[in-house]
Amino acid sequence: MGAAGKYCVAGVGQTAYGKLPGRSAESLTVEAIRNALADAGIGKDEIDCVLTKAPTSEFQMLFSTRIAECIGVVPKVTATIDNAGASTATAVAYAAMCIEAGQCSAAVVSYGDNPVTGSRKVYSEFGGAHSIPYGLLGAAGHYALIAQRYLHECGKSPDDLAAVPLGDRAWAQRNPNAYFRKPLTLSECLGARWVVEPFRLFDCCPITDGAAAVVVVPAARAKDLAKKPVYLSGFGQGHCAAELTSRTTLTASGALQSGRTAFAMAGITPRDVDFLQLYDPFSIVPPITLEEYGFCARGEGLDFLAHGRTAPQGALPMNTSGGLLSETGMPGMQLIVEAVRQLRGECGDRQVHEAAVGVVSNQGGYMTTHATLVLSNRPL
């Protein structure tokens, strides 16, 4: 199916991020969807596809159908997608493919959860049957193992990881909705407590309540709506083995295949990209993603990030709303929302000059799943 450039994100919406007592995953998701529909200037009567990421904090059966009922939509297509942190980019691509196949005509894609004020159990017990015997309980331990190996292979130290949280925080200071906006210094990064070596506190994303959503429609329909359309120019996926302990290498991810697929669909190379929104639950993820997307050679990701290259005034802006490390630890959809706003030119003090092409990465598990979106402000 030739879906590239034929579909648009017509509206985006979100809630506040942080500690939101009294809010359920459903109520947060509904708020974000309503905001996205209002942003697009489209009525819910046009929506016939409702897609959600599965709430991370606890299993909820038929979540997408409950959301459809809450917003008053009887969908032709609905699904609760679980690619962990790669779910939202996966669902945006799935929406386009469903419209392309004639199964529906307009979709809302959303994610919402309340792991701060609800259940946080899954975050502490995250791990599979083959990982638990090794003492790998929780995402931080898995990613720390990856990071230790990467630093060893590349001749780097834990101090070199600080470029990622420092860049995110510099952008977050320009984002009024970011969870962490307080200025962050290198000495504060390096002096913070260890979580699990080689990660210090600021190398790890926060856990936050919140929700975000987008509306996906055919490009022809988007031209008549309230906001400037943002084109879905390319998408792809790539996935490693489910268990870290069964992989032949610890420092590779699905970004290599996912990026190649998305870039080829869009007909672009890294030189064409104006900004990046890279999934960063831990500071080791962006350097590996940059390498596998082709922005730098293997082993050079941390050098690429050094000296503020992706921070404000840098050559390649990255995570312009603060990323997972500073805006919100919510998995994935917020990066898509920020990319759309950048391509519309709506980001004020953090606006990327003449932003025309942006790349979003989503990643799930412990570099287990990966999905990529190429978004543009015009057909490519």
Side-chain angles (χ1 to χ4, degrees), residues 177-218:
N177 203 51
Y179 189 49
F180 290 120
R181 299 186 66 202
K182 181 181 177 181
L184 181 65
T185 66
L186 177 60
S187 61
E188 287 173 323
C189 276
L190 301 186
R193 66 176 176 85
W194 293 105
V195 176
V196 53
E197 291 191 57
F199 295 143
R200 298 179 174 94
L201 179 63
F202 298 107
D203 292 304
C204 309
C205 74
I207 296 173
T208 51
D209 298 339
V214 301
V215 178
V216 179
V217 299

Side-chain angles (χ1 to χ4, degrees), residues 294-360:
F295 287 90
C296 56
R298 174 68 179 165
E300 296 181 359
L302 287 173
D303 292 329
F304 186 94
L305 289 162
H307 311 299
R309 187 170 186 172
T310 57
Q313 284 79 55
L316 183 61
M318 183 181 85
N319 293 354
T320 53
S321 61
L324 274 71
L325 292 175
S326 281
E327 184 187 26
T328 170
M330 191 184 74
M333 181 59 83
Q334 76 275 26
L335 300 175
I336 303 171
V337 169
E338 174 68 8
V340 170
R341 289 175 174 156
Q342 284 288 347
L343 292 165
R344 290 174 173 176
E346 297 177 343
C347 291
D349 290 343
R350 67 181 190 277
Q351 181 61 47
V352 175
H353 181 61
E354 295 184 348
V357 178
V359 171
V360 181

Side-chain angles (χ1 to χ4, degrees), residues 222-263:
K223 293 176 182 178
D224 299 325
L225 297 179
K227 293 292 183 73
K228 180 179 178 180
V230 169
Y231 294 85
L232 180 57
S233 295
F235 50 82
Q237 293 185 46
H239 311 298
C240 296
E243 297 292 343
L244 188 63
T245 52
S246 67
R247 299 179 198 170
T248 56
T249 177
L250 297 181
T251 57
S253 79
L256 183 64
Q257 178 61 51
S258 183
R260 283 177 178 172
T261 302
F263 281 43

Side-chain angles (χ1 to χ4, degrees), residues 1-9 51 83 86-101 109 216-217 230-239 254-268 293 336 357-362 370-376 380:
M1 293 184 290
K6 294 171 62 176
Y7 301 98
C8 292
V9 177
L51 304 174
N83 259 346
S87 298
T88 56
T90 298
V92 169
Y94 183 60
M97 290 188 286
C98 288
I99 300 171
E100 176 76 6
V109 183
V216 179
V217 299
V230 169
Y231 294 85
L232 180 57
S233 295
F235 50 82
Q237 293 185 46
H239 311 298
L256 183 64
Q257 178 61 51
S258 183
R260 283 177 178 172
T261 302
F263 281 43
M265 181 183 288
I268 66 165
Y293 278 2
I336 303 171
V357 178
V359 171
V360 181
S361 77
N362 276 189
H370 197 99
T372 309
L373 300 178
V374 178
L375 301 173
S376 60
L380 298 181

Side-chain angles (χ1 to χ4, degrees), residues 25-51:
E26 289 96 335
S27 74
L28 291 165
T29 303
V30 168
E31 179 185 343
I33 290 173
R34 286 176 174 167
N35 290 340
L37 291 172
D39 184 62
I42 189 173
K44 66 181 182 181
D45 56 304
E46 290 195 47
I47 300 299
D48 53 5
C49 175
V50 177
L51 304 174

